[in-house]
Amino acid sequence: MSLDFKPGAFNDFFRDETFREDFTYRNSPQNIRRFPFPFDRDDYMYSVNMEPHVPGRKGTAFEHILDVDEHYVSEMIDRAKVLADDPLRCQSLPHMTLAGWDLLELIMEAKARDYPEWFSLERNGNRWRWVNRPLGIDHSFTFLDESTLPYGPFEYITRQTQGDFSLQDERDGTLWMDAGMVTSQADWSLDFDVGMNFHEWHAPVPLAHEKGVFDRALKFLLKLQHGAPVRRFNWTMTVNPLLDTAPETYPKWGPTKTSLTQENLGRKQHLRVELQSLYRLPRSNAIAFDIRCYLASFDEIVTVPKWGRRLHRVIRDLPEELATYKGFIRNRDAMVSWLAKYDDGAPTSPGWWPDE
Amino acid sequence: MTLTPVAPTIRSRPVYAALEPWPGRLHLIIADGEGADAVIGMLVKANNRSEILSATHVMYTPGPNGTDLSSKLEALGAAQFFRAPTIPALLPRLQRVLSDAHMGTQFYLAGTEGLIGQAEREIMATGFPFAAIQKEHRGSTVRRVQCVHCKGITENVSTNPFKCSHCGLNLFVRDHYSRRQAAFQGVNIDAEDPGEVPESVVRFK
């Protein structure tokens, strides 16, 4: 038993594309419309900005709690390549196995419920059968018995789920990041941060500590209840549709930041949005943190006129510390010049949805 | 010579306080370099000094700057005193002693951050909460740094930036600190503009 994905995993829906080398990743026109554009107004500053993670508008990335989109199969192939190159990108401290089972159950139940054409879960006591048709997987295993899976439960299920995940143990009045699957991160190292508490792993973030953002966020999260997940956005910029912007490989992808011109910027520069959702887990009392990464090129974003106008204003007016921390200060002026062509100064409507 | 001041910085960077004598059945003291003076200072504050010393095991190694106060420490007359030539030579003994450590053991770490961090990691591995370990930073401020790229650790880093002793990349030393690695983080400084490395300055002495 292994997780070698069977050939023929792509069908009409799932795109066959790459997030490395030739970078063939694209969003289809219908997928651009469902891109979770993160700015609901023309400016941006850090905030806790949590809201209930409940199923949202049909045909958007919020329709189901775990969004499976046209990039699913290619993202999972990319994750397998990252892990083959560097197994340290998935780590789980020994006491986190039960939380891994909790997460496996959460994901399998949600996917089988929301996407029955692709996933199914049959349960007979602790004997479970999991079918993942897009990846060609049909496994029977015993729930809570690790010896019946080819990986630990956390790695097994996150190899089949878009988004980075961390599992946070609660003790001493804070959260400890004691497990993680991290292959599509915005430049932070799981290997360095695993085992840290909430304030420690957020330590490098500028401005937010002083504003009390992390104190409030932690207070909020410690009250998180099973069955009532929450979500928030984060965002940054990435040159090329590179999911794996890891500090580990920064010497490889860092130089691409110097490759932008006004001619290629629309194609190469991507807005990187993280839809972060948090779930209290029932047996372990741990918290699962899902950091789902969405990429859209500037060319794709400006096909929605409201987003083109707004992105120009947000990037132009962003405090310098934030552009520096997010790693795009050197290209900010170039982005603003490029985006200015798509901003006629007209007012934008409130909220993030495209205008009908 | 007192507690080495740590400039206020980010929340992952460890902070330290002066050692205090606490009641215990066993007192495990691990120190290097100028940390010896912190241990002596702690004992001066104790009103049951001889009682503490009769249940004390001291492990000491000279500091990275060469400071060796082992004779001063040995003269205290602890039940057990051990001088190791280096930190790596000290750790196996610490591991052995920890395997027998019971409830009621007090831990006192003093000296450089490299010594404190590595001893703390061994103690935490036994399940002892790090917040109950006393730590006083004294002496050299050189840093133990993990290269985030190749994962190699460079000991006693005094300049910023510096060259990774494993992969040779030019690394910027961050204040971001991992207790699990017992190290600060080093990140390639010229990745975006290869060869454009700022002049290296002595930041940690």
Side-chain angles (χ1 to χ4, degrees), chain B residues 138-168:
Chain B
R138 290 261 189 143
S140 172
T141 61
V142 294
R143 290 187 172 188
R144 182 177 147 87
V145 182
Q146 188 208 37
C147 172
V148 75
H149 312 293
C150 80
K151 307 295 181 188
I153 301 244
T154 303
E155 304 284 349
N156 303 328
V157 172
S158 60
T159 65
N160 200 6
F162 76 102
K163 220 178 227 324
C164 174
S165 64
H166 302 264
C167 70

Side-chain angles (χ1 to χ4, degrees), chain A residues 156-351:
Chain A
Y156 177 79
I157 197 59
T158 52
R159 278 178 178 264
Q160 303 178 51
T161 309
Q162 288 166 282
D164 285 351
F165 281 84
S166 70
L167 295 177
Q168 299 163 19
D169 193 29
E170 179 175 336
R171 52 184 200 274
D172 304 330
T174 187
L175 298 172
W176 301 82
M177 183 163 55
D178 287 343
M181 165 67 91
V182 177
T183 67
S184 56
Q185 68 283 59
D187 204 5
W188 64 279
S189 171
L190 171 75
D191 180 52
F192 195 78
D193 288 1
V194 70
M196 289 190 188
N197 70 36
F198 190 81
H199 282 98
E200 289 168 347
W201 86 71
H202 286 115
V205 183
L207 305 178
H209 289 272
E210 294 77 357
K211 288 171 181 289
V213 166
F214 292 120
D215 292 330
R216 290 201 301 280
L218 177 61
K219 209 173 272 183
F220 182 90
L221 289 178
L222 291 175
K223 293 190 184 123
L224 189 65
Q225 298 289 311
H226 175 57
V230 297
R231 68 175 170 236
R232 68 179 291 267
F233 285 112
N234 199 4
W235 64 278
T236 185
M237 294 287 177
T238 304
V239 177
N240 292 326
L242 177 66
L243 277 176
D244 183 33
T245 49
E248 279 79 1
T249 52
Y250 175 51
K252 285 188 197 149
W253 56 265
T256 62
K257 291 190 196 178
T258 64
S259 68
L260 292 183
T261 64
Q262 289 299 305
E263 288 65 48
N264 67 21
L265 195 145
R267 181 166 34 91
K268 290 186 83 147
Q269 183 62 59
H270 287 67
L271 175 61
R272 181 187 193 99
V273 175
E274 291 179 356
L275 173 52
Q276 306 178 341
S277 50
L278 295 120
Y279 305 81
R280 178 71 75 174
L281 299 175
R283 299 173 187 77
S284 57
N285 199 42
I287 288 178
F289 184 32
D290 172 2
I291 312 162
R292 172 69 181 278
C293 173
Y294 292 86
L295 293 165
S297 68
F298 276 24
D299 278 343
E300 291 169 345
I301 286 169
V302 299
T303 62
V304 178
K306 171 180 168 181
W307 292 353
R309 290 185 186 104
R310 179 164 289 168
L311 188 60
H312 171 245
R313 296 167 198 179
V314 168
I315 301 305
R316 182 192 61 199
D317 302 336
L318 193 72
E320 185 158 329
E321 299 99 310
L322 286 190
T324 302
Y325 172 67
K326 288 174 183 288
F328 63 87
I329 188 74
R330 74 183 302 149
N331 290 322
R332 190 232 289 249
D333 290 347
M335 291 178 201
V336 172
S337 317
W338 191 93
L339 287 164
K341 296 178 296 214
Y342 300 92
D343 186 0
D344 55 9
T348 53
S349 58

Side-chain angles (χ1 to χ4, degrees), chain B residues 47-95:
Chain B
N47 50 21
N48 56 341
R49 176 188 162 106
S50 56
E51 189 190 324
I52 289 180
L53 281 167
S54 67
T56 290
H57 189 158
V58 179
M59 297 174 216
Y60 180 79
T61 185
N65 55 4
T67 300
D68 183 357
L69 303 175
S70 44
S71 46
K72 214 167 154 186
L73 264 190
E74 188 170 14
L76 290 172
Q80 279 174 284
F81 175 83
F82 173 69
R83 178 191 182 277
T86 61
I87 295 172
L90 181 149
L91 294 177
R93 182 185 180 105
L94 173 59
Q95 288 157 2

